[in-house]
Amino acid sequence: MASFVKPENALKRAEELINVGQKQDALQALHDLITSKKYRAWQKPLERIMFKYVELCVDMRKGRFAKDGLIQYRIVCQQVNVTSLEEVIKHFMHLSTEKAEQARTQAQALEEALDVDDLEADKRPEDLMLSYVSGEKGKDRSDRELVTPWFKFLWETYRTVLDILRNNSKLEALYAMTAHRAFQFCKVYKRTTEFRRLCEIIRNHLANLNKYRDQRDRPDLSAPESLQLYLDTRFEQLKVATELELWQEAFRSVEDIHGLMCMVKKTPKPSLMVVYYVKLTEIFWISDSNLYHAYAWLKLFSLQKSFNKNLSQKDLQLIASSVLLAALAVSPYDSKHGASHLELEHEKERNLRMANLIGFSLDSKLESRDVLSRENLFSELVSKGVLSCATQEVKDLYHLLEHESFHLDLATKLQPLLNKVSKLGGKLSSASSVPEVQLSQYVPALEKLATLRLLQQVSKVYQTMKIESLSQMIPFFDFSAVEKISVDAVKQNFIGMKIDHSRNIVLFGNLGIESDGLRDHLTVLAESLNKARAMIYPPVLKASKTGDLLPDLADIVDKEHKRLLARKSIIEKRKEEQERQLLEMEREEESRRLKLQKITEEAEQKRLAAEYEQRKNQRLRREMEERELEEAQALLQEAEKRVGKKKGSRKPVLDSEKLTKQTLMQLALTEQLRERQEMEKKLQKLAKTMDYLERAKREEAATLIEAAFQQRLLEERMIHERDQQLEVELSKQRHEGDLKEKNRLSRMLESKKIFQERVISLRQEEFSRRRAEREEHIKQIIQARKAEREAKRKKIFYVRREEERIRILREEEEARKREEAERRKKEEAERKAKLDEIAEKQRQRERELEEKERLRKESLFGSSARSGDAPARPDVAPSSRPLDPGTAAPAAAAAAATSPAKYVPKFRRNEGSTPDAPPSESGRWGSSRPDRPSRPDSWRNDDSRSAFGSSRPSWSSSRAPARASTDR
């Protein structure tokens, strides 16, 4: 262990070792200096040594060295300059955070790098073997080697600082800041294990403070500043616990806050209590403690309504609606029916803890469920005005589920209200301390409550029901979910029912389970014995009272008729009220839409104003920083001037390269602190002198004060006696005057009574007359309103009948038109079918004619081939072998018969009479009759082709049947 005459020598030696790369030796040298008993008086060089020491500890990740050095430095500067310890700790945390951030930016896969369950656990042998076997290469291995160690060191830094500052009353703010930074570390990197451990550390620190009250520098929790810091730390812990969804730790944090408030007997600010109850509502909702969740909402509503004067009406409506829906979400039956004694005791203890957290002080001898119950909660809601502040949809939901008679169509009435309620909610305005309200989370609980109400009503109306019918009545859940709800309700003795899956029915009634019957078997035995005794010894039957009831039957019928008429009038009034409510709801919806539009416009304006304000604040902040720098320099110059004027004082040594705003401010504040200490010493001395002087003056004045007091007593006694004698004389004079006045007024007593009776009788007659006139006027108004209502109903009835008649006539006219159109369409289809049939027949006839013509030509050419005289040219007529007249005529006749529409030349027609004669010019090329016009050339070519057996028929023969069919 090296020994140094001055601390500066150790710092120089450490820097030399660092320059040659021996950081471990440099750290050891500084550690020996700090832990040495020789340097127990604080000096300025020790602060620079500590800065270098923590830098080496951070570079080499030596957490234990850093902790030992900080503990020794705390001992040195605790009573002299605790600010130096604060600066060293801040520098230590800044370096650790900076190194961790550098390592995180170097690694690209942060999630793999932080895949460690516990930052305090060393690497296990199986992990090392797995890394060698799996062949972890490159980037993954570098991430684990770079990032994780630095985050472990940062976590160790937070623990070290908290452990050093836990009993230091002068550094409570730094302790709170370190705890907040540790909470943010756990929140950002999702370190749930470290967060639980951190909460336990802070909890143990507070317990040790209460356990060891005789410590010298122990923080005083009764001071407002200390209490506020501890409460802020616990509230930050509660917020981070809820954001990490560590609900058990959040509940313990709430208990810590409540214990801290009970410890100091002081209620925190309303803004903190709002955060407390907001987090409490989340915790109770997650833990399915709906009753305490509703009570927490009620407390939150009371705080907001009482202390938040800037809360808007819309935000207050949403909070009140949340309170009312949370109360409706509470189960309508006791969930501990039939529980064992041990379970009841455990539940009683748990309820006491939760009730104390909400703010209800319960007697442990009483049942908490008798004080905190669903019925008491609703009565408090009504008394505190929560129901009047809620929205109309939530009010209708409350009246439908709690106050109206439950009908079997409850689900159809409830469904639109639930849809509207699920759309309500959202983020509240900045004036509200509650961040947001979501009413949709209560919809499942409300559906369960509606299901229970329906089952309760159905069990009163029916004895047996099909499962399909029950499922249709409850559209919220499947029947499996309804079955679970009903089983729980039957278990808690809320309803009586059984489900028979074999017959697919549900049985309702007083159907107790077998275990319930075993509890009161003695009572059942006694009832059975009473029934048996009644059967053995039947009681004497009394005379029938039917004869007595018959005379009153007419009165009973008349009363029943009047009751039915009254019920009818009530139903009509309810219908009118429902229509009025629907109109009001529509008007409210329109006004709500306009308000929402207006709020959106205002929010946009606020956003623009906020942006402008932010830019303005940034500009002002820059100006303030420049002004502060100038003021710090001015303070430093003044301090140097003051130091220069004093003899024997040293000027502070300033390094121009490291001269920053913080340095200037620190120097100026140090000088001001020194001057303040000198001024305090002078004031103490002056106070002591003034104390002696004041004591001497009071000793001299004591005798004079006593003499003046005795003289004052004598004067006051004389004044009292004189005033008393004067009062006696005045009383005698007043008594004599009162007696004379009494005698004078007694003579007018009879006249006064007569006048009084006359006035009272006149006023009584006037009152009777006016009351009779008023009753007559009211009767006339009622009769006029009845007549007006009857006329209005008749008018509506006539209008509806006329509309119905017009509608029926319109429907009959439309039906007649449809029938007419269908008939026309049918006739058109029949006409078209007939035309198609005629055309088909015509085509069939044409095909038959073509076939006959083809057969005739084949027969004609076949006879020519057999004769062997086929002509060489088609235009030369055959003359070598004349036809026999006896055979030619029948052939021509047959040809004419087979083709009646075919054109035949004239020389063919005359072959039977003059076969050898050549055809004449007129017969061949034209008509010999003067009335027949000559044919065109195209017709001649057609005739010549027909004469020599052309296969194409004439257009006239083929078109004629089609034209005939069209004409028909």
Side-chain angles (χ1 to χ4, degrees):
M1 176 178 176
S3 177
F4 301 98
V5 179
K6 293 182 178 181
E8 294 87 347
N9 298 336
L11 183 60
K12 292 180 181 178
R13 178 60 178 167
E15 290 177 351
E16 291 173 356
L17 291 173
I18 291 171
N19 292 331
V20 297
Q22 298 180 4
K23 292 185 178 181
Q24 182 64 38
D25 295 336
L27 179 63
Q28 188 64 42
L30 295 179
H31 183 266
D32 294 340
L33 175 70
I34 293 168
T35 56
S36 175
K37 296 182 179 179
K38 183 179 179 181
Y39 305 100
R40 289 304 175 109
W42 184 84
Q43 305 174 27
K44 185 65 176 178
L46 285 177
E47 184 175 353
R48 296 200 300 273
I49 290 172
M50 283 303 300
F51 277 110
K52 180 60 69 174
Y53 180 79
V54 296
E55 289 175 4
L56 288 172
C57 290
V58 172
D59 289 339
M60 302 175 66
R61 295 201 294 269
K62 298 291 184 179
R64 296 191 179 276
F65 275 86
K67 185 174 183 180
D68 293 341
L70 290 172
I71 291 173
Q72 293 298 327
Y73 192 68
R74 180 186 64 181
I75 296 172
V76 171
C77 62
Q78 176 69 37
Q79 304 299 328
V80 182
N81 190 3
V82 74
T83 309
S84 177
L85 175 62
E86 181 178 1
E87 294 297 326
V88 171
I89 289 176
K90 286 183 179 179
H91 186 63
F92 178 44
M93 288 195 298
H94 174 70
L95 290 176
S96 301
T97 307
E98 189 177 40
K99 288 290 185 180
E101 290 295 325
Q102 289 178 0
R104 188 178 67 86
T105 54
Q106 291 175 3
Q108 296 181 0
L110 178 61
E111 296 298 331
E112 290 88 356
L114 287 179
D115 191 12
V116 181
D117 292 334
D118 192 353
L119 292 178
E120 294 184 6
D122 296 328
K123 187 170 286 189
R124 298 174 297 177
E126 54 267 30
D127 295 335
L128 291 173
M129 293 176 63
L130 184 61
S131 65
Y132 288 125
V133 173
S134 60
E136 191 180 35
K137 298 187 173 72
K139 187 174 181 302
D140 296 336
R141 184 175 297 174
S142 65
D143 290 341
R144 291 184 179 274
E145 291 176 357
L146 291 176
V147 180
T148 304
W150 280 113
F151 276 93
K152 285 185 178 181
F153 182 77
L154 180 59
W155 169 246
E156 188 177 0
T157 299
Y158 289 139
R159 291 199 57 177
T160 300
V161 173
L162 289 174
D163 192 46
I164 291 171
L165 301 176
R166 59 190 175 89
N167 292 329
N168 200 325
S169 60
K170 299 179 181 179
L171 295 178
E172 292 175 340
L174 183 59
Y175 179 87
M177 186 194 73
T178 306
H180 283 241
R181 294 178 66 174
F183 288 141
Q184 292 301 318
F185 168 81
C186 298
K187 172 186 172 182
V188 171
Y189 301 110
K190 303 290 189 268
R191 308 306 305 175
T192 56
T193 305
E194 284 73 26
F195 179 76
R196 293 191 185 95
R197 194 167 291 145
L198 178 63
C199 296
E200 193 64 29
I201 289 170
I202 296 176
R203 200 172 290 118
N204 291 334
H205 288 174
L206 183 60
N208 291 331
L209 285 179
N210 297 324
K211 185 176 181 181
Y212 306 104
R213 297 178 178 270
D214 55 348
Q215 294 179 353
R216 182 174 58 181
D217 296 323
R218 173 183 173 274
D220 187 11
L221 294 179
S222 60
E225 295 82 7
S226 301
L227 176 62
Q228 189 63 37
L229 288 173
Y230 275 84
L231 282 176
D232 290 342
T233 303
R234 265 61 182 184
F235 277 105
E236 183 66 22
Q237 173 182 335
L238 177 59
K239 291 178 183 177
V240 176
T242 54
E243 290 175 1
L244 292 176
E245 296 183 354
L246 299 175
W247 303 110
Q248 187 175 4
E249 196 61 41
F251 185 76
R252 298 183 67 185
S253 302
V254 169
E255 288 187 329
D256 292 343
I257 295 172
H258 183 262
L260 197 60
M261 290 189 294
C262 295
M263 188 185 303
V264 297
K265 306 295 183 182
K266 187 176 180 181
T267 305
K269 295 185 293 185
S271 59
L272 291 180
M273 292 305 297
V274 167
V275 178
Y276 174 84
Y277 284 116
V278 167
K279 300 302 179 183
L280 206 57
T281 55
E282 297 179 12
I283 294 170
F284 286 146
W285 181 255
I286 293 297
S287 63
D288 292 333
S289 301
N290 294 339
L291 180 62
Y292 297 98
H293 171 77
Y295 271 105
W297 263 116
L298 180 59
K299 286 284 187 180
L300 184 59
F301 173 81
S302 301
L303 278 174
Q304 288 288 302
K305 190 175 180 181
S306 301
F307 296 100
N308 196 347
K309 303 301 181 184
N310 298 326
L311 191 66
S312 62
Q313 186 65 26
K314 181 181 178 183
D315 296 344
L316 187 64
Q317 276 189 352
L318 284 177
I319 296 174
S321 302
S322 298
V323 178
L324 191 54
L325 291 179
L328 287 174
V330 180
S331 178
Y333 50 81
D334 186 10
S335 59
K336 292 294 176 287
H337 177 77
S340 63
H341 178 71
L342 184 62
E343 292 176 351
L344 290 176
E345 288 295 324
H346 179 70
E347 185 67 17
K348 182 178 179 181
E349 181 182 357
R350 177 174 174 269
N351 292 341
L352 284 173
R353 289 172 61 190
M354 291 193 292
N356 290 330
L357 292 180
I358 298 174
F360 290 89
S361 297
L362 301 180
D363 189 1
S364 60
K365 296 180 181 180
L366 300 176
E367 288 290 334
S368 62
R369 60 189 178 189
D370 296 334
V371 180
L372 302 179
S373 62
R374 194 170 188 268
E375 293 75 16
N376 295 339
L377 176 60
F378 279 115
S379 62
E380 285 191 27
L381 293 183
V382 175
S383 62
K384 293 185 178 181
V386 178
L387 192 61
S388 60
C389 295
T391 58
Q392 187 62 37
E393 294 83 2
V394 178
K395 290 180 183 177
D396 297 339
L397 201 62
Y398 167 74
H399 288 295
L400 190 62
L401 288 174
E402 294 297 325
H403 290 291
E404 290 189 5
S405 59
F406 304 112
H407 301 287
L408 300 182
D409 58 345
L410 177 64
T412 57
K413 296 180 180 179
L414 197 65
Q415 195 67 41
L417 293 176
L418 291 178
N419 294 334
K420 292 181 181 179
V421 167
S422 62
K423 296 177 182 178
L424 296 177
K427 293 185 178 180
L428 303 184
S429 61
S430 58
S432 175
S433 302
V434 183
E436 63 177 343
V437 173
Q438 294 294 340
L439 303 184
S440 58
Q441 64 178 350
Y442 300 107
V443 172
L446 295 175
E447 292 176 350
K448 182 179 178 182
L449 177 62
T451 303
L452 289 172
R453 296 298 189 195
L454 273 171
L455 290 175
Q456 187 180 17
Q457 182 64 19
V458 169
S459 64
K460 294 178 181 178
V461 176
Y462 295 97
Q463 290 184 350
T464 306
M465 177 179 281
K466 290 186 177 180
I467 292 178
E468 292 82 5
S469 302
L470 187 60
S471 300
Q472 292 176 0
M473 292 175 60
I474 306 175
F476 309 118
F477 304 103
D478 296 331
F479 186 73
S480 57
V482 175
E483 188 174 3
K484 291 180 181 179
I485 295 172
S486 61
V487 167
D488 191 28
V490 171
K491 180 182 177 183
Q492 306 304 330
N493 202 20
F494 183 70
I495 57 175
M497 59 179 291
K498 285 185 178 180
I499 301 174
D500 191 352
H501 286 284
S502 61
R503 294 189 293 171
N504 201 20
I505 60 172
V506 180
L507 304 173
F508 297 99
N510 189 11
L511 307 172
I513 57 179
E514 289 76 9
S515 59
D516 293 334
L518 296 176
R519 273 186 270 175
D520 48 357
H521 56 282
L522 293 177
T523 306
V524 175
L525 178 61
E527 292 176 355
S528 301
L529 291 175
N530 284 330
K531 290 180 181 179
R533 186 182 62 82
M535 293 173 65
I536 296 172
Y537 303 104
V540 179
L541 297 176
K542 296 182 179 180
S544 177
K545 297 182 179 180
T546 308
D548 298 335
L549 294 176
L550 286 176
D552 300 333
L553 186 59
D555 297 335
I556 294 172
V557 172
D558 190 18
K559 290 180 181 179
E560 186 68 15
H561 180 64
K562 291 181 180 178
R563 188 182 66 81
L564 291 176
L565 291 177
R567 183 173 180 272
K568 183 178 179 182
S569 63
I570 291 171
I571 291 172
E572 291 176 355
K573 290 180 181 179
R574 286 183 178 177
K575 287 181 179 178
E576 294 174 358
E577 182 68 20
Q578 188 176 7
E579 292 175 357
R580 186 185 61 78
Q581 289 179 358
L582 289 175
L583 292 175
E584 290 180 356
M585 288 173 64
E586 291 177 357
R587 287 195 294 269
E588 289 177 359
E589 188 70 21
E590 183 65 20
S591 62
R592 193 179 298 112
R593 185 183 62 79
L594 295 175
K595 287 181 181 178
L596 181 62
Q597 184 178 359
K598 184 178 179 181
I599 289 170
T600 306
E601 295 174 357
E602 292 176 355
E604 183 65 21
Q605 294 176 0
K606 288 181 181 178
R607 185 184 64 80
L608 296 175
E611 291 179 356
Y612 173 77
E613 190 68 22
Q614 185 177 4
R615 290 194 297 269
K616 183 179 178 182
N617 291 335
Q618 290 177 358
R619 180 175 56 80
L620 293 175
R621 195 180 298 111
R622 288 195 299 269
E623 294 176 358
M624 289 174 64
E625 289 175 356
E626 294 173 359
R627 194 180 301 111
E628 286 175 0
L629 184 59
E630 294 174 358
E631 291 174 357
Q633 291 177 353
L635 289 172
L636 182 61
Q637 292 175 1
E638 292 178 0
E640 290 177 353
K641 291 178 182 179
R642 287 195 300 270
V643 171
K645 291 178 181 178
K646 296 180 181 179
K647 296 180 179 180
S649 60
R650 295 184 302 172
K651 292 184 178 181
V653 180
L654 299 177
D655 190 356
S656 60
E657 295 179 354
K658 297 183 179 178
L659 190 62
T660 61
K661 174 187 172 182
Q662 288 79 8
T663 308
L664 294 175
M665 292 293 293
Q666 184 65 31
L667 291 173
L669 291 175
T670 304
E671 185 63 26
Q672 288 181 357
L673 180 62
R674 187 182 61 77
E675 293 178 357
R676 192 181 298 114
Q677 290 175 355
E678 293 178 357
M679 183 61 68
E680 287 178 356
K681 291 180 181 178
K682 292 180 181 179
L683 290 175
Q684 288 177 359
K685 185 177 180 181
L686 181 62
K688 192 172 182 181
T689 304
M690 295 296 294
D691 189 15
Y692 289 151
L693 181 61
E694 184 68 23
R695 187 182 298 110
K697 288 195 298 183
R698 292 189 179 185
E699 288 177 356
E700 291 294 331
T703 56
L704 300 176
I705 291 172
E706 182 64 26
F709 176 70
Q710 295 296 332
Q711 181 67 25
R712 180 68 177 171
L713 284 177
L714 182 60
E715 292 176 356
E716 288 183 353
R717 187 179 294 109
M718 294 172 64
I719 292 170
H720 173 69
E721 290 175 355
R722 186 174 65 251
D723 291 344
Q724 190 175 8
Q725 185 66 27
L726 182 62
E727 181 67 25
V728 169
E729 293 176 357
L730 291 175
S731 297
K732 289 180 179 180
Q733 293 176 4
R734 284 196 296 269
H735 180 66
E736 292 175 356
D738 291 342
L739 288 175
K740 292 178 181 179
E741 185 70 17
K742 180 181 178 183
N743 294 329
R744 187 178 67 84
L745 294 176
S746 61
R747 293 175 295 174
M748 297 183 287
L749 184 61
E750 293 297 330
S751 301
K752 175 253 182 185
K753 290 182 179 179
I754 295 169
F755 177 75
Q756 182 179 356
E757 290 176 357
R758 185 169 67 249
V759 171
I760 290 174
S761 62
L762 290 174
R763 289 183 180 178
Q764 182 67 30
E765 292 175 358
E766 180 69 18
F767 171 73
S768 301
R769 182 180 60 79
R770 291 191 178 184
R771 184 171 63 181
E773 291 177 355
R774 180 176 176 275
E775 291 177 355
E776 184 65 25
H777 183 62
I778 290 173
K779 288 181 181 179
Q780 292 177 0
I781 291 174
I782 292 173
Q783 292 176 359
R785 289 183 180 177
K786 283 184 179 180
E788 182 182 354
R789 201 158 46 240
E790 187 67 24
K792 186 176 180 182
R793 287 179 185 147
K794 288 182 179 179
K795 184 177 179 181
I796 292 172
F797 175 73
Y798 293 147
V799 169
R800 288 180 179 174
R801 286 191 59 185
E802 185 65 21
E803 290 177 354
E804 184 68 19
R805 186 182 64 80
I806 293 172
R807 184 182 62 80
I808 292 171
L809 291 176
R810 190 181 298 113
E811 290 178 356
E812 291 177 355
E813 181 66 20
E814 290 176 356
R816 187 184 61 77
K817 289 182 179 180
R818 284 196 300 271
E819 291 176 358
E820 184 68 21
E822 291 177 357
R823 185 180 61 78
R824 289 179 181 176
K825 190 183 294 184
K826 187 175 180 181
E827 290 178 355
E828 183 67 23
E830 291 177 355
R831 189 177 64 83
K832 188 175 180 181
K834 289 180 179 180
L835 292 176
D836 292 341
E837 184 179 359
I838 292 170
E840 183 64 27
K841 289 180 180 180
Q842 183 64 30
R843 286 192 294 271
Q844 183 68 23
R845 191 180 298 112
E846 290 178 358
R847 285 194 295 270
E848 292 176 357
L849 292 174
E850 290 177 359
E851 184 66 23
K852 289 179 181 179
E853 181 65 20
R854 186 179 60 80
L855 293 175
R856 187 186 64 81
K857 289 180 181 180
E858 288 179 356
S859 63
L860 181 61
F861 282 107
S863 61
S864 299
R866 283 193 299 270
S867 62
D869 297 331
R873 293 176 59 184
D875 56 349
V876 179
S879 60
S880 60
R881 188 179 179 184
L883 293 173
D884 189 4
T887 60
T898 55
S899 58
K902 184 71 174 177
Y903 175 75
V904 181
K906 192 174 182 180
F907 70 92
R908 289 284 186 186
R909 300 176 202 161
N910 299 326
E911 279 183 354
S913 58
T914 57
D916 295 334
S920 63
E921 194 70 18
S922 62
R924 186 176 182 183
W925 301 108
S927 177
S928 60
R929 293 184 296 178
D931 54 349
R932 178 177 292 179
S934 62
R935 293 182 295 175
D937 296 336
S938 60
W939 287 21
R940 296 192 189 103
N941 295 334
D942 290 340
D943 292 343
S944 62
R945 283 193 297 269
S946 299
F948 288 94
S950 177
S951 62
R952 289 188 299 172
S954 175
W955 66 273
S956 60
S957 63
S958 61
R959 298 289 181 179
R963 190 181 300 116
S965 63
T966 305
D967 295 337
R968 281 197 299 270

